[in-house]
Amino acid sequence: AQSVTQLGSHVSVSEGALVLLRCNYSSSVPPYLFWYVQYPNQGLQLLLKYTTGATLVKGINGFEAEFKKSETSFHLTKPSAHMSDAAEYFCAVSVSNSGYALNFGKGTSLLVTP
Amino acid sequence: DTEVTQTPKHLVMGMTNKKSLKCEQHMGHRAMYWYKQKAKKPPELMFVYSYEKLSINESVPSRFSPECPNSSLLNLHLHALQPEDSALYLCASSQIPTQAIGYTFGSGTRLTVV
């Protein structure tokens, strides 16, 4: 079954610094991969997704992620952190034998300091 | 319309009450999902509907009863819930059940069981 692992439950960066949130996947078939952001007391917002085609995926709010099959990774990056980026970030993979429901990683809480 | 609409946004219910959560989409999506999210945890899949038929039930207790009356609506009927069922309940839809295309989440219903 497809799954994802997020490395680091908490990441702290300074405002203006590079944001790097790590996600590795496990899948025996080509995966569909997603990054979602969740602000406190809100629902999930899609940042970006990889299905097929270009391996560098650009999303909203300046985020991007690169699908690396050789490393089974889909890390999320942003060149310059903003205070408003502080939130919970979830990596997810669609699971083919569960009606393509999403299987989420445990999440990474991003803290941005002034 | 590119949204999944969930009502109510907040719900407080006693352990003997019967209530229903509603989810609606008008994007023509034929797969719909219920997820449960506890605080500081990732969403967990509860049910999958594919072409209005229940295709996945992740061993959810019978006090949760899903219903899909038509291709645009998904309900979750609640009865005799326990305090530990307090959580954010998220609905999602996807364009077709065989691929994670156009995956869209609603903003959720925050349920408190007292």
Side-chain angles (χ1 to χ4, degrees):
Chain A
Q2 293 97 326
S3 64
V4 290
T5 301
Q6 291 183 243
L7 302 176
S9 58
H10 293 84
V11 170
S12 181
V13 300
S14 299
E15 189 174 19
L18 171 72
V19 175
L20 171 61
L21 304 182
R22 300 178 187 272
C23 174
N24 287 90
Y25 69 89
S26 173
S27 178
S28 58
V29 298
Y32 289 1
L33 294 161
F34 303 76
W35 274 101
Y36 283 88
V37 62
Q38 187 173 35
Y39 298 99
N41 298 312
Q42 294 190 24
L44 297 170
Q45 182 180 12
L46 178 67
L47 284 174
L48 48 80
K49 63 182 177 184
Y50 170 79
T51 53
T52 58
T55 55
L56 181 61
V57 182
K58 295 187 184 297
I60 62 171
N61 301 340
F63 285 94
E64 63 181 39
E66 187 171 9
F67 172 71
K68 291 187 176 181
K69 185 177 179 180
S70 61
E71 298 178 7
T72 62
S73 69
F74 190 57
H75 301 330
L76 182 70
T77 61
K78 181 174 180 177
S80 177
H82 192 273
M83 297 296 289
S84 60
D85 294 325
E88 190 79 16
Y89 291 79
F90 293 101
C91 182
V93 63
S94 64
V95 183
S96 57
N97 62 354
S98 290
Y100 287 86
L102 296 187
N103 190 359
F104 289 85
K106 293 187 183 300
T108 298
S109 181
L110 177 65
L111 175 65
V112 182
T113 58
Chain B
D1 187 351
T2 59
E3 290 186 347
V4 173
T5 302
Q6 290 189 244
T7 54
K9 294 194 182 304
H10 300 273
L11 178 63
V12 178
M13 61 184 291
M15 290 188 285
T16 59
N17 292 160
K18 287 185 179 181
K19 296 287 185 183
S20 296
L21 309 184
K22 181 180 175 182
C23 173
E24 192 167 4
Q25 58 88 12
H26 296 285
M27 296 178 282
H29 288 184
R30 302 309 300 274
M32 296 186 77
Y33 310 82
W34 279 115
Y35 291 81
K36 174 183 178 180
Q37 185 181 24
K38 300 282 283 183
K40 307 291 186 184
K41 298 291 186 182
E44 295 180 336
L45 181 66
M46 300 176 73
F47 302 105
V48 179
Y49 271 83
S50 173
Y51 296 105
E52 297 88 69
K53 294 189 188 307
L54 182 65
S55 62
I56 302 286
N57 177 341
E58 292 288 310
S59 301
V60 177
S62 59
R63 57 185 184 268
F64 295 91
S65 175
E67 177 197 21
C68 190
N70 59 56
S71 60
S72 299
L73 282 175
L74 184 66
N75 298 320
L76 186 62
H77 302 299
L78 314 172
H79 174 56
L81 295 193
Q82 302 298 309
E84 59 265 28
D85 297 322
S86 298
L88 180 67
Y89 288 84
L90 294 162
C91 175
S93 69
S94 180
Q95 192 169 345
I96 54 176
T98 55
Q99 296 183 45
I101 294 177
Y103 215 97
T104 306
F105 277 91
S107 56
T109 294
R110 189 162 298 280
L111 173 68
T112 303
V113 182
V114 297

